[in-house]
Every structure is written in structure tokens, then in C-alpha cells.
Amino acid sequence: MKVKKVNIEATINAPLAKVWQFWTEANHITNWAFASDEWHSPHAENDLQVSGKFTTRMDAKDDSFGFDFSGTYTDVKPNKLIIYTMSDGRKVNTEFIEEGETTKIEQTFDAETENPIAMQKNGWQAILNSFKKYADSK
């Protein structure tokens, strides 16, 4: 069975260096790595290098549900590209494209088979939008 690829994107109103910093540093990740205001990210670890691992804890604020989002980096090109494999084996490719004083993020991920594609795309886009809101406000 062929893996379905899902694409999302956002343009951040910030220069590339700032976007990269906010995307990759654990102290920033905890401020945006959730899909809605009912969730938060209390902890993140990020070893941003090939074979390095990352873990981001995502919890519902009412403690009803939570999970670790984790994986291993397979390619890192500073200020350009991050590719990783999630703990369930799916691949994610994140590109950073400088566009003057803004930065476009294009992300492609392998869909899982449990949930509808539209639900997955909306969830990932909501997290990317949360990043945009955080980065745009700083």
C-alpha cells in the first residue's frame, strides 16, 4: 500500500533566522507545539542533528489526554531543511524558504491509516498556525 503524503504550509512574518530559532529551540517549542488553546506543551527536548532525537509532550489542559510526539532526525540543513522519522516510522519533511522579511514553511508528512486524511491535515495545519501565531507575535 502506497503511503499518502500530506502537505501544509504557512508564511511567517519574521526573518528566516528567527523562524529557525523558534522552530528548533526547546524553550520556544513549548510555546507553540499544540493544535488549540485547550492543549499545551509542557516539555520539549531537541537534539537537532542527524541521528539526534526529539520529544515534545502534548497534553490537554484538563489532563484528559496527552502523548509524546517524538522521532529521529535523518537530515538537517540549517535554515533550510529538517527531515525526520517519527517514532511510528512515518517521514516528515520541513522546508524553510526565505522570502524577504517573511519565511515560508512547507511541510510534507506521511499520513497514518487510523484517521481521515482531512483530520490529519487540519491537525497538523493547526499546529503550524499555532507556530505562526507565536512567531508573528515575538
Side-chain angles (χ1 to χ4, degrees), residues 15-29 32 46 48 79 82 96 131 134-135:
L16 178 59
K18 179 178 170 183
V19 169
W20 183 264
Q21 176 187 11
F22 283 12
W23 188 269
T24 61
E25 293 181 5
N27 61 311
H28 289 293
I29 293 168
W32 61 263
N46 195 26
L48 185 64
N79 297 311
I82 297 172
F96 301 82
F131 174 80
Y134 175 71

Side-chain angles (χ1 to χ4, degrees), residues 38-92:
E38 292 79 36
W39 284 73
H40 68 136
S41 181
H43 181 77
E45 295 177 18
N46 195 26
D47 182 16
L48 185 64
Q49 61 180 330
V50 173
S51 298
K53 298 191 181 312
F54 68 89
T55 301
T56 302
R57 182 70 190 173
M58 296 179 180
D59 284 323
K61 288 181 179 176
D62 68 2
D63 293 327
S64 62
F65 188 74
F67 62 94
D68 288 331
F69 181 76
S70 61
T72 304
Y73 293 109
T74 57
D75 195 2
V76 177
K77 291 183 174 64
N79 297 311
K80 293 194 182 318
L81 177 71
I82 297 172
I83 300 174
Y84 60 87
T85 302
M86 291 186 277
S87 56
D88 65 5
R90 294 182 296 137
K91 308 268 189 243
V92 180

Side-chain angles (χ1 to χ4, degrees), residues 88-100:
D88 65 5
R90 294 182 296 137
K91 308 268 189 243
V92 180
N93 180 326
T94 307
E95 292 184 66
F96 301 82
I97 303 151
E98 189 171 27
E99 297 180 334

